[in-house]
Coordinates of all heavy atoms in Angstrom, one line a residue:
P73 N 21.5 -15.8 66.9 CA 20.2 -16.5 66.8 C 19.0 -15.5 66.7 O 17.9 -15.9 66.2 CB 20.1 -17.3 68.1 CG 21.6 -17.5 68.5 CD 22.3 -16.3 68.1
E74 N 19.2 -14.3 67.2 CA 18.2 -13.3 67.2 C 18.1 -12.5 65.8 O 17.2 -11.6 65.7 CB 18.4 -12.2 68.4 CG 18.4 -12.9 69.8 CD 19.7 -13.5 70.2 OE1 20.8 -13.0 69.6 OE2 19.6 -14.4 70.9
G75 N 19.1 -12.8 65.0 CA 19.0 -12.2 63.7 C 19.8 -10.9 63.6 O 19.7 -10.2 62.7
K76 N 20.6 -10.6 64.6 CA 21.4 -9.4 64.6 C 22.6 -9.8 63.7 O 23.3 -10.9 64.0 CB 21.9 -9.0 65.9 CG 20.6 -8.4 66.8 CD 21.2 -8.0 68.2 CE 20.1 -7.5 68.9 NZ 20.5 -7.3 70.4
S77 N 23.1 -8.9 62.8 CA 24.2 -9.1 62.1 C 25.4 -8.2 62.5 O 25.1 -7.1 62.9 CB 24.0 -8.9 60.6 OG 23.7 -7.5 60.3
Y78 N 26.6 -8.8 62.4 CA 27.8 -8.1 62.8 C 28.8 -8.4 61.6 O 28.9 -9.5 61.1 CB 28.4 -8.6 64.1 CG 27.5 -8.3 65.3 CD1 26.5 -9.3 65.7 CD2 27.7 -7.1 66.1 CE1 25.7 -8.9 66.7 CE2 26.8 -6.8 67.0 CZ 25.9 -7.8 67.5 OH 25.1 -7.5 68.5
Q79 N 29.6 -7.4 61.4 CA 30.6 -7.4 60.4 C 31.9 -6.8 60.9 O 32.0 -5.8 61.5 CB 30.3 -6.6 59.1 CG 31.2 -6.9 58.1 CD 30.7 -6.1 56.8 OE1 31.5 -6.1 55.8 NE2 29.6 -5.4 56.6
V80 N 33.0 -7.7 60.8 CA 34.3 -7.3 61.3 C 35.2 -7.1 60.1 O 35.3 -8.2 59.4 CB 34.9 -8.2 62.4 CG1 36.2 -7.8 62.8 CG2 33.9 -8.5 63.4
K81 N 35.9 -6.0 59.9 CA 36.7 -5.8 58.8 C 38.1 -5.5 59.2 O 38.4 -5.0 60.4 CB 36.3 -4.5 58.0 CG 34.8 -4.6 57.4 CD 34.5 -3.4 56.8 CE 33.1 -3.4 56.2 NZ 32.7 -2.4 55.3
G82 N 39.1 -6.0 58.4 CA 40.6 -5.7 58.8 C 41.5 -6.3 57.9 O 41.2 -6.9 56.8
S83 N 42.7 -6.1 58.2 CA 43.8 -6.7 57.4 C 43.8 -8.3 57.7 O 43.3 -8.8 58.7 CB 45.1 -6.1 57.7 OG 45.4 -6.2 59.1
I84 N 44.5 -9.0 56.8 CA 44.6 -10.4 56.9 C 46.1 -10.9 57.0 O 46.9 -10.4 56.2 CB 44.0 -11.1 55.7 CG1 42.4 -10.8 55.6 CG2 44.2 -12.6 55.7 CD1 41.8 -11.4 54.4
E85 N 46.3 -11.7 58.0 CA 47.6 -12.3 58.1 C 47.4 -13.9 57.9 O 46.4 -14.4 58.3 CB 48.1 -12.2 59.6 CG 48.4 -10.8 60.0 CD 48.9 -10.7 61.4 OE1 48.9 -11.6 62.1 OE2 49.3 -9.6 61.7
Y86 N 48.4 -14.4 57.1 CA 48.2 -15.9 56.7 C 49.3 -16.7 57.5 O 50.5 -16.4 57.2 CB 48.3 -15.9 55.2 CG 47.7 -17.3 54.7 CD1 46.5 -17.7 54.6 CD2 48.8 -18.2 54.1 CE1 46.0 -18.8 54.2 CE2 48.3 -19.3 53.6 CZ 47.1 -19.7 53.6 OH 46.5 -21.0 53.1
H87 N 48.9 -17.6 58.2 CA 49.9 -18.3 59.1 C 50.0 -19.8 58.8 O 49.0 -20.4 58.9 CB 49.5 -18.2 60.6 CG 49.5 -16.8 61.1 ND1 50.6 -16.2 61.6 CD2 48.5 -15.8 61.1 CE1 50.4 -14.9 62.0 NE2 49.1 -14.7 61.7
T88 N 51.2 -20.3 58.4 CA 51.3 -21.7 58.1 C 52.2 -22.4 59.2 O 52.6 -23.5 59.1 CB 52.0 -21.9 56.7 OG1 53.2 -21.3 56.6 CG2 51.1 -21.4 55.6
K89 N 52.6 -21.5 60.1 CA 53.4 -22.0 61.4 C 53.2 -21.0 62.4 O 52.7 -19.9 62.2 CB 54.8 -22.2 61.0 CG 55.6 -21.0 60.5 CD 57.0 -21.4 60.1 CE 57.6 -20.1 59.6 NZ 59.0 -20.4 59.0
G90 N 53.7 -21.2 63.6 CA 53.7 -20.3 64.7 C 52.4 -20.5 65.6 O 51.7 -21.5 65.5
T91 N 52.3 -19.6 66.6 CA 51.2 -19.8 67.6 C 49.8 -19.7 67.1 O 49.0 -20.6 67.5 CB 51.4 -18.6 68.6 OG1 52.7 -18.4 68.9 CG2 50.6 -18.7 69.9
I92 N 49.5 -18.9 66.2 CA 48.0 -18.9 65.7 C 47.8 -20.1 64.9 O 46.7 -20.7 64.9 CB 47.9 -17.6 64.9 CG1 47.9 -16.4 65.8 CG2 46.5 -17.6 64.1 CD1 47.8 -15.0 65.1
F93 N 48.8 -20.6 64.1 CA 48.6 -21.8 63.3 C 48.4 -22.9 64.3 O 47.4 -23.8 64.0 CB 49.8 -22.0 62.4 CG 49.9 -23.3 61.6 CD1 49.0 -23.4 60.5 CD2 50.6 -24.4 62.0 CE1 49.0 -24.6 59.9 CE2 50.5 -25.6 61.3 CZ 49.7 -25.6 60.2

Side-chain angles (χ1 to χ4, degrees):
E74 301 79 33
K76 293 180 183 174
S77 67
Y78 293 90
Q79 187 175 174
V80 181
K81 298 180 181 186
S83 58
I84 295 176
E85 297 176 351
Y86 194 72
H87 300 272
T88 56
K89 60 184 176 183
T91 310
I92 293 175
F93 176 78

